[in-house]
Every structure is written in structure tokens, then in C-alpha cells.
Amino acid sequence: MNTYQSTVAGVIFDLDGTLVSSELDFTLIKAQVGCPDEHDLLSFIDGLPSPYMREEAMNIVHQHELIDAQHATLLPGVAQAIARLKEQAIPMAIVTRNYDRATALKLKNNPLPIQTVLTRSDAPPKPDPSALNAIATLWGIDQQHILYVGDYLYDIQAAHNANMRACLYAPSDVPAYAEQADYILHHFSELPKLINNLGQTRQSRLINASV
């Protein structure tokens, strides 16, 4: 990766499992809608043969998401890290595969100083990069200077599909696909330091290049 592109000028976050807790049981949800374990749930529902079947399956998903939203709490270190980035005037946004009502409930119960929030109700779900690209356009920031932080493979894929860098949040076990991420975050307290270090690395390289 080109060091001159290291500065982070904006950060986009996943929601569930990244900023807030989630206890969604995808094995149970897939069983209830008839989705094979190895298939992506949303893609499976989108491919069902009739509008009625898609609506019924999505209603089941919505019920699970709303129940989960009622119990979600901020994950350790999130509030402090977000506050630090806010102090540094770094633009922040959220892109989630959750749907709008559940997302709104989670953020109402766990308020964060992040105004831009896109759900699957607003754009195709990750790993599709549409939502990430829309935010880059909104901010007027080159994608290479935006960091996407999430806890799952789809987050890494979405970031790279949008030509952004991917930071995997892995507070406990590090999954095999972690090697695809540009950075790995074990605790949210590390995030402001990571962003600051990237900026300092670029500044140092620029100074050296001018000597």
C-alpha cells in the first residue's frame, strides 16, 4: 500500500458487533426461513420465487432484529473512541446490514455523535459497496482516505469493493479471513491511536522526501 495514501480523513463503522452488541441467532433465523447454513441470509430471501414468500421471510428477520435491538448496548471502549474522533473533527458514518427500524432503536438507546447512518433499507447490503461509495461522495473524500471498521468478512469485502481500507474489529478470536483486512483492532481504545499513527507516518514520509 502506498504510504502517501495512509492518512485517514473519514471513518465508516459497521453497527452490530462493532459499535453495539448483538445476539442475533442466524442459525435459528436461517432455519425458520429455510435458508441453508452456508448461504447468505439476505441473498437467499431476495432469491425466493414469490413476493409473498420474500415478505414472510423478511418479516421473520425483522422480528428477530427488533427484539435484538431492545437489548443492544455499546461495546467496551466505543463511546470513548468515538468521542476522541469527534474531537479531532473526523467525519464518521455507520453502514449496517440491519434494517432501518432496528437500527434507529439501537442508536436511540445507545446514542452516538454520528449523524450519517445507512441501512439495508437505504442501499444494497454489504458486501455491495454502494452505501460506502455514497458516503464518500457525500463527504467529498477520496475512498483511499476512508477507513471502514467492522467485525465480519462482509465488512472487509465491502471496504475493498469501495477501494477503502478495511479494519477488522476482533476483540477475542481472530478469524481466518482476518488476513484479508488492512488492520486488525483488538480493542476500540486502539482506534484513535491507529488513525493518528497513519497520519504521522505519512507526514514523516513527506518530510523525508523533501530533505
Side-chain angles (χ1 to χ4, degrees):
M1 184 177 297
N2 192 328
T3 305
Y4 287 90
Q5 299 170 350
S6 291
T7 300
V8 173
V11 183
I12 305 175
F13 297 96
D14 174 44
L15 182 62
D16 292 354
T18 301
L19 298 179
V20 302
S21 63
S22 177
E23 298 179 357
L24 286 171
D25 186 340
F26 286 102
T27 299
L28 174 60
I29 299 172
K30 286 182 177 182
Q32 290 179 343
V33 303
C35 175
D37 283 342
E38 67 276 12
H39 286 206
D40 175 67
L41 176 63
L42 298 180
S43 298
F44 173 80
I45 293 174
D46 191 52
L48 289 173
S50 75
Y52 173 78
M53 294 175 68
R54 291 192 291 271
E55 182 179 359
E56 287 298 299
M58 194 55 74
N59 284 339
I60 292 173
V61 176
H62 287 169
Q63 291 172 12
H64 282 275
E65 288 178 324
L66 286 173
I67 293 171
D68 182 61
Q70 296 173 18
H71 305 289
T73 58
L74 285 177
L75 291 174
V78 167
Q80 295 85 347
I82 297 298
R84 287 280 303 278
L85 298 183
K86 179 76 171 178
E87 291 172 358
Q88 297 174 30
I90 294 178
M92 292 178 284
I94 294 172
V95 171
T96 174
R97 280 169 58 99
N98 217 317
Y99 93 117
D100 53 2
R101 285 184 59 196
T103 298
L105 181 57
K106 288 188 175 185
L107 293 175
K108 178 183 177 182
N109 294 339
N110 303 281
L112 291 167
I114 300 177
Q115 302 302 318
T116 303
V117 180
L118 295 181
T119 73
R120 71 166 185 268
S121 307
D122 304 305
K126 299 170 293 184
D128 189 291
S130 298
L132 279 67
N133 287 332
I135 291 171
T137 300
L138 174 68
W139 287 344
I141 297 176
D142 189 291
Q143 279 95 327
Q144 295 180 13
H145 296 288
I146 297 176
L147 183 69
Y148 186 83
V149 182
D151 70 316
Y152 188 58
L153 174 62
Y154 291 157
D155 301 311
I156 299 173
Q157 293 173 335
H160 290 163
N161 289 341
N163 295 317
M164 298 178 184
R165 279 168 289 166
C167 179
L168 179 69
Y169 177 52
S172 52
D173 296 335
V174 178
Y177 55 75
E179 62 185 15
Q180 300 179 42
D182 298 286
Y183 315 104
I184 299 176
L185 193 68
H186 296 292
H187 193 281
F188 248 85
S189 62
E190 302 167 359
L191 181 59
K193 182 178 179 180
L194 168 64
I195 293 173
N196 290 337
N197 286 346
L198 290 174
Q200 291 170 5
T201 298
R202 179 178 185 274
Q203 183 180 28
S204 175
R205 286 299 182 92
L206 288 174
I207 292 172
N208 290 338
S210 65
V211 172

